[in-house]
């Protein structure tokens, strides 16, 4: 969708709003910080406007949605920039250039929203296919431009994934569909020596969690000769990487039968089926049952969904993370390793760490923290947006 040549509307900050924070790079403007008169409330969602401070000095171009808590997302510091197909293609090329320096195959997170200068936009790449999550109205209005920019990178199949929680707050629908091409089978992905099977259309999120790649690798390095328990396993992220690095067995636990089927297919493609097992059901109940069976493992990983996706859920979320740690710790053999993960941006590191320590202590175990991990470098963190640095992975050694 080409940018308009007509004069752009103007969105002005209220007196007292922190314009300096925006000048220093913060990408969001909240609704309470802007002048919301009849004129600005009439601006169509997704419109590109000139953002100014209270004295009407331009701060840049922003995508507007006065119905959202985030009223404006800054796109460009240049108020004269054209937000069009060429602009989007340039941002995509910049993002791809970074990833192609990191990885020898085009399987990675290609766009990590604000951190890559494309607010609200997630793109995961699977070779010549990509899953696009446009979680902001402005991006939805430029879908054709995104498809063209991705095509220029050699991507022939583009799936619009409309499952993101943020879409509802932006007033967007939940209809996923192919925007270009189309695949009728899951995609095999080679990563850390393992083979994962990514279901782009029917799997969780975009089909595979690339963010855990370095944490998979670290845990796999501990797993040689070990029995491994992978709880909340999805398609076998930690368990399959461990098998690829010499684990003697891996048990994957998840509530989704389709995800476990994909994990088993990955193990089969790796020639590791004999060492791989699955157990479907509630993860909390299965961990309790394994303790009742007196099962132990040299390496245990728990990578649950976001228990605290927003501040309102923080207290309950931290209790859930503590419970995971309490149930997982008894399953770790003396001297073994326990990795606990959180993808909740509201549960910042110190709070998550405290919840894990409480859970391990309540299980009667002593521990050493041996590593703190984060998302891989294809998930860059916007320096002024804590939400972009959401993933934490704490690895403890549990003492006899």
């Amino acid at each position: 969708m080409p940018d308009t040549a007509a004069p752009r509307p103007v969105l002005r900050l209220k007196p007292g709003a922190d314009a300096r924070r925006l000048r220093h790079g913060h990408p969001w403007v909240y609704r309470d910080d802007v002048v919301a008169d009849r004129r600005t409330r009439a601006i169509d969602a997704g419109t590109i406007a000139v953002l100014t401070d209270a004295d009407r000095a331009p701060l840049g171009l922003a995508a507007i949605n006065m119905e959202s808590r985030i009223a404006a997302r800054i796109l460009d510091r240049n108020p004269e920039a054209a937000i069009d197909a060429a602009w989007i293609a340039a941002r995509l090329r910049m993002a791809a250039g970074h990833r192609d320096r990191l990885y020898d195959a085009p399987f990675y997170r290609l766009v990590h929203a604000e951190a890559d200068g494309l607010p609200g936009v997630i793109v995961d790449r699977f070779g010549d296919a990509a899953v696009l999550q446009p979680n902001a109205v402005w991006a939805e209005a430029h879908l054709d431009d995104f498809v063209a920019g991705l095509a220029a990178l050699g991507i022939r199949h583009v799936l619009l994934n409309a499952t993101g929680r943020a879409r509802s707050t932006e007033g967007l629908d939940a209809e996923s569909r192919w925007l270009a091409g189309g695949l009728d089978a899951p995609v095999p992905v080679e990563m850390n020596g393992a083979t994962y099977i990514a279901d782009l259309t029917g799997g969780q999120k975009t089909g595979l969690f690339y963010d855990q790649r370095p944490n998979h690798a670290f845990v796999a390095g501990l797993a040689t000769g070990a029995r491994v328990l992978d709880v909340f396993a999805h398609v076998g992220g930690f368990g399959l990487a461990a098998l690829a690095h010499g684990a003697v067995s891996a048990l994957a636990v998840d509530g989704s039968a389709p995800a476990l089927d994909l994990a088993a297919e990955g193990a089969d493609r790796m020639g590791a089926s004999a060492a791989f097992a699955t157990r479907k059901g509630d993860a909390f109940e299965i961990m309790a049952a394994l303790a009742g069976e007196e099962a132990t493992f040299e390496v245990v990983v728990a990578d649950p969904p976001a228990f605290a996706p927003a501040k309102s859920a923080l207290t309950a979320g931290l209790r859930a993370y503590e419970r995971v740690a309490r149930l997982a710790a008894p399953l770790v053999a003396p001297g073994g390793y326990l990795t606990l993960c959180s993808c909740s941006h509201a549960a910042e590191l110190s709070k998550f760490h405290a919840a894990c320590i409480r859970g391990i202590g309540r299980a009667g175990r002593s521990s050493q923290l041996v590593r703190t991990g984060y998302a891989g470098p294809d998930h860059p963190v916007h320096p002024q947006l804590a939400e972009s640095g959401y993933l934490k992975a704490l690895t403890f050694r549990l003492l006899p």
Side-chain angles (χ1 to χ4, degrees):
M1 177 178 176
D3 196 20
T4 179
R8 293 189 174 99
V10 174
L11 185 68
R12 183 162 57 94
L13 296 183
K14 290 178 179 177
D18 189 0
R20 182 174 60 178
R21 181 184 67 145
L22 299 170
R23 289 193 177 96
H24 290 174
H26 197 280
W28 290 351
V29 183
Y30 296 103
R31 189 169 51 207
D32 290 345
D33 289 333
V34 301
V35 176
D37 55 21
R38 183 173 61 183
R39 177 185 57 81
T40 55
R41 285 196 297 267
I43 297 174
D44 290 337
T47 297
I48 309 302
V50 176
L51 178 69
T52 75
D53 63 17
D55 297 323
R56 294 183 168 81
L59 297 170
L61 291 181
I64 308 304
N65 187 350
M66 293 300 293
E67 300 301 316
S68 172
R69 184 177 68 94
I70 303 171
R73 299 171 186 265
I74 295 178
L75 299 177
D76 202 299
R77 302 291 159 181
N78 176 10
E80 303 298 325
I83 308 301
D84 55 12
W87 184 91
I88 288 171
R91 294 283 167 113
L92 292 173
R93 285 196 304 273
M94 181 69 71
H98 168 58
R99 278 73 178 179
D100 289 340
R101 287 179 178 271
L102 296 171
Y103 307 112
D104 58 7
F107 294 85
Y108 43 60
R109 172 147 294 182
L110 172 58
V111 174
H112 195 49
E114 279 76 359
D116 281 302
L118 290 165
V121 178
I122 297 295
V123 182
D124 279 353
R125 182 170 186 176
F126 300 86
D128 67 351
V131 179
L132 167 66
Q133 278 192 342
N135 295 327
V137 178
W138 83 270
E140 190 91 354
H142 288 78
L143 289 179
D144 289 345
D145 295 336
F146 275 99
V147 171
L150 293 170
L153 299 176
I155 295 171
R156 298 188 297 117
H157 310 280
V158 180
L159 176 69
L160 168 63
N161 182 305
T163 62
R165 280 191 299 263
R167 287 179 64 85
S168 62
T169 64
E170 287 278 305
L172 296 170
D173 65 38
E175 180 191 354
S176 297
R177 62 190 185 277
W178 287 102
L179 300 175
L183 300 175
D184 57 8
V187 178
V189 178
E190 304 290 331
M191 195 162 59
N192 289 322
T195 301
Y196 300 99
I197 308 300
D199 184 354
L200 308 191
T201 58
Q204 297 178 34
K205 298 294 181 70
T206 63
L208 192 65
F209 297 130
Y210 284 129
D211 52 0
Q212 287 282 22
R213 186 186 327 227
N215 302 318
H216 291 164
F218 178 78
V219 170
L222 301 174
T224 303
R227 296 164 297 164
V228 175
L229 174 64
D230 185 0
V231 186
F232 305 100
H234 189 226
V235 297
F238 284 94
L240 295 183
L243 289 175
H245 286 76
V248 297
S249 68
L251 173 61
V253 173
D254 202 271
S256 168
L260 290 176
D261 288 344
L262 292 171
E265 183 180 344
D268 184 60
R269 292 193 182 215
M270 293 166 56
S273 291
F276 186 73
T278 65
R279 198 154 168 175
K280 178 189 174 299
D282 179 85
F284 295 100
E285 293 177 0
I286 291 175
M287 284 191 287
L290 287 169
E293 298 164 16
E294 299 185 348
T296 59
F297 305 82
E298 285 74 35
V299 173
V300 175
V301 182
D303 182 18
F307 288 143
K311 289 182 179 179
S312 59
L314 179 58
T315 300
L318 291 174
R319 283 199 298 266
Y321 288 124
E322 179 180 334
R323 186 182 176 205
V324 169
R326 177 173 57 83
L327 291 172
L331 303 175
V332 182
Y337 296 89
L338 172 62
T339 296
L340 301 168
C341 306
S342 168
C343 58
S344 299
H345 71 78
E348 52 92 7
L349 179 60
S350 64
K351 290 183 172 63
F352 175 61
H353 175 270
C356 293
I357 291 297
R358 285 195 302 272
I360 293 171
R362 287 183 63 195
R365 301 298 300 271
S366 299
S367 65
Q368 305 164 315
L369 178 64
V370 299
R371 179 178 181 267
T372 300
Y374 304 95
D378 54 342
H379 291 64
V381 175
H382 190 292
Q384 289 158 308
L385 195 64
E387 289 86 343
S388 61
Y390 59 94
L391 182 65
K392 288 80 63 177
L394 303 179
T395 297
F396 299 90
R397 190 173 190 226
L398 300 198
L399 304 178

